[in-house]
């Protein structure tokens, strides 16, 4: 039997979401965030679909930048975590990839290893995320060092990142924005702070460059909203097949740990997908699964290779297809049923899930 789980990646939906980003922030350049294997959608198909649209690609790891260059992408690429040693710096220079500079060690590496081919640098300012970036008292000194460094081309850009932008009523985002403006307005730099939530909920955060990630994939960056509410189309549909039907009697219990008991006689469809494919083990009893367009509840614990769904008296047979998330079943809803975020669900669809690319001609 061929393995049933399939992630269908609709590149026309991706392009439509990109158009939505452009419409929302028409004056800004777009750095499409395609790290983590294009948020689990496949970095190469995603980059191909955006090849003539995005002004740049943002990735987290050097390997991702290498993969893009090896696949022939000549676009500007920004490495969000920058470099950690001399070899990585040389590689960035060789590949013509921009580096984010967020810690003093990187300045030392730059100053002690003059580059023949200078790179473009983005200076990261700490505005409240407390993850990567320089505090404001360090910022001007570092900026000057970068501006004077022969291995850096042009004026360094300035960027930062929002911590709470998924909640539009949280005052933290405005505070970060104000701080970023105050600390950078005198600099002759390209500026960037907006992720998807910023793009949608804080137009004043757009600046020169925006950095959309999750919204490109049709998923809402805002709490309590679905992508469709924001004019987005889900790019990924995760589906599988029914691999067995069980007749279960009242009182019988299902799966590992017997976490669900049948209240009456019923039929259970066993579907060929589990946590080994990236379906979340934390999905609760009642998490919806679509079979023939109709929602049925997940029952019992998610196994490595299968899940169980209570189909009652429904006439469903082995081989029928089922949707775990996608167009009519938002991944945001499944994330809520699994006490996680949709980012995690799309990112962790595993290698063994067949990736079917749809509408790859732009
Ligand atoms: C530095 C940076 N910018 C932009 C993004 C894109 O964020 P989002 O997917 O919420 O749009 C990320 C994602 O984690 C990020 O780390």
């Amino acid at each position: 039997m061929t393995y049933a789980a399939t992630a269908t990646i609709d590149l026309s939906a991706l392009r439509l979401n990109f158009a939505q980003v452009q419409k929302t922030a028409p004056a800004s350049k777009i750095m499409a965030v395609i790290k983590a294997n294009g948020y689990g959608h496949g970095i190469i198909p995603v980059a191909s679909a955006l090849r003539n649209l995005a002004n740049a690609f943002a990735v987290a790891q050097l390997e991702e930048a290498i993969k893009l260059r090896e696949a022939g992408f000549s676009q500007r690429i920004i490495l969000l975590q920058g470099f950690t040693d001399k070899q990585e710096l040389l590689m960035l220079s060789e590949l013509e990839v921009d580096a984010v500079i967020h810690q003093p060690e990187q300045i030392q590496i730059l100053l002690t290893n003059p580059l023949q081919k200078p790179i473009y640098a983005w200076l990261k300012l700490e505005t409240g995320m407390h993850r990567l970036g320089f505090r404001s008292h360090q910022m001007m000194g570092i900026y000057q060092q970068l501006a004077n460094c022969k291995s850096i081309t042009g004026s360094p850009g300035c960027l930062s990142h929002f911590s709470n932008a998924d909640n539009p009523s949280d005052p933290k985002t405005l505070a970060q924005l104000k701080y970023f403006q105050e600390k950078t307005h005198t600099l002759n730099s390209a500026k960037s702070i907006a992720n998807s939530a910023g793009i949608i909920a804080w137009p004043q955060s757009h600046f020169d460059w925006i950095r959309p990630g999750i919204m490109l994939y049709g998923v809402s960056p805002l709490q309590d909203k679905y992508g469709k509410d924001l004019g987005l189309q889900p790019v990924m549909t995760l589906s599988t097949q029914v691999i067995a039907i069980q007749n279960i009697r009242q009182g019988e219990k299902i799966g590992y740990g017997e976490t669900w008991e049948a209240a009456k006689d019923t039929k259970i469809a066993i579907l060929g997908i589990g946590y080994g494919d990236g379906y979340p083990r934390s999905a609760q009893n009642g998490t919806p699964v679509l079979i023939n367009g109709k929602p049925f509840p997940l029952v019992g614990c998610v196994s490595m290779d299968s899940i169980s769904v209570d189909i009652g008296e429904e006439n469903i047979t082995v081989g029928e297809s089922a949707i775990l998330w996608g167009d009519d079943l938002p991944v945001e809803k499944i994330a809520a049923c699994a006490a996680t975020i949709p980012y995690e669900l799309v990112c962790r669809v595993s290698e063994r899930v067949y990736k079917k690319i749809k509408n790859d001609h732009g």
Side-chain angles (χ1 to χ4, degrees):
M1 186 184 127
T2 52
Y3 205 76
T6 301
T8 305
I9 307 299
D10 183 352
L11 297 181
S12 67
L14 181 74
R15 287 187 287 265
L16 198 141
N17 298 332
F18 188 90
Q20 189 66 19
V21 172
Q22 278 178 315
K23 207 171 112 191
T24 314
S28 303
K29 289 188 186 164
I30 302 177
M31 206 184 277
V33 182
I34 60 171
K35 62 189 173 132
N37 197 24
Y39 285 43
H41 293 68
I43 192 168
I44 298 301
V46 165
S48 303
L50 301 180
R51 186 191 288 269
N52 299 319
L53 299 173
N55 302 95
F57 293 133
V59 296
Q61 296 178 344
L62 183 56
E63 286 65 30
E64 295 168 323
I66 295 172
K67 198 167 182 182
L68 288 172
R69 287 286 183 253
E70 282 179 353
F73 291 95
S74 54
Q75 278 84 358
R76 191 161 177 191
I77 299 175
I78 290 90
L79 185 60
L80 293 171
Q81 292 183 359
F83 51 90
T84 52
D85 58 31
K86 176 185 168 183
Q87 277 65 38
E88 288 187 1
L89 173 64
L90 292 176
M91 188 64 108
L92 288 188
S93 157
E94 181 58 36
L95 296 173
E96 299 181 13
V97 169
D98 296 7
V100 171
I101 308 289
H102 54 83
Q103 56 167 336
E105 287 76 2
Q106 290 172 308
I107 303 290
Q108 279 320 307
I109 297 169
L110 260 175
L111 294 179
T112 48
N113 296 284
L115 297 173
Q116 288 186 345
K117 224 193 305 177
I119 58 168
Y120 187 84
W122 292 85
L123 175 56
K124 189 155 192 179
L125 176 65
E126 165 47 46
T127 56
M129 178 79 164
H130 301 124
R131 192 173 65 177
L132 302 180
F134 293 101
R135 300 264 173 168
S136 63
H137 69 273
Q138 300 168 297
M139 161 119 176
M140 277 322 283
I142 301 283
Y143 184 86
Q144 283 312 330
Q145 276 184 301
L146 288 176
N148 297 334
C149 177
K150 296 242 174 330
S151 297
I152 299 298
T153 178
S155 306
C158 278
L159 58 77
S160 192
H161 194 51
F162 290 134
S163 59
N164 295 17
D166 59 332
N167 177 2
S169 55
D170 192 321
K172 175 75 186 269
T173 305
L174 272 184
Q176 281 189 269
L177 197 50
K178 187 165 172 273
Y179 190 82
F180 183 70
Q181 260 162 330
E182 271 170 24
K183 303 297 171 194
T184 62
H185 80 279
T186 55
L187 301 175
N188 174 29
S189 299
K191 297 181 186 70
S192 173
I193 192 166
N195 56 359
S196 297
I199 293 165
I200 293 171
W202 282 276
Q204 66 275 46
S205 73
H206 293 170
F207 295 107
D208 304 297
W209 285 84
I210 50 171
R211 306 194 307 270
I214 198 74
M215 72 181 291
L216 290 175
Y217 308 98
V219 178
S220 170
L222 303 178
Q223 292 170 8
D224 308 324
K225 288 245 184 293
Y226 294 140
K228 284 212 168 142
D229 303 332
L230 304 167
L232 305 171
Q233 286 292 322
V235 175
M236 180 190 288
T237 298
L238 185 65
S239 62
T240 187
Q241 287 180 341
V242 176
I243 58 170
I245 304 283
Q246 295 287 342
N247 290 305
I248 297 291
R249 299 218 178 86
Q250 180 186 7
E252 286 183 327
K253 294 173 182 163
I254 303 286
Y256 288 117
E258 302 187 312
T259 59
W260 185 83
E261 180 178 327
K264 56 182 172 49
D265 291 359
T266 190
K267 284 191 297 182
I268 299 290
I270 311 296
L271 310 190
I273 195 159
Y275 64 80
D277 303 286
Y279 190 81
R281 190 170 183 281
S282 55
Q284 296 298 302
N285 282 324
T287 302
V289 173
L290 286 186
I291 308 179
N292 292 333
K294 223 170 137 178
F296 295 97
L298 174 88
V299 293
C301 230
V302 172
S303 300
M304 188 183 291
D305 312 308
S306 66
I307 58 172
S308 308
V309 174
D310 183 4
I311 55 170
E313 294 304 310
E314 201 77 13
N315 187 20
I316 288 170
T317 52
V318 168
E320 281 192 59
S321 75
I323 292 183
L324 291 314
W325 62 69
D327 235 357
D328 297 318
L329 184 54
V331 67
E332 295 91 328
K333 188 181 240 176
I334 307 305
C337 293
T340 183
I341 53 172
Y343 293 73
E344 186 181 5
L345 295 190
V346 290
C347 281
R348 76 178 187 198
V349 168
S350 76
E351 273 288 299
R352 77 175 184 185
V353 173
Y354 173 63
K355 307 288 183 317
K356 186 169 154 196
I357 305 298
K358 210 168 120 184
N359 299 320
D360 60 351
H361 36 275

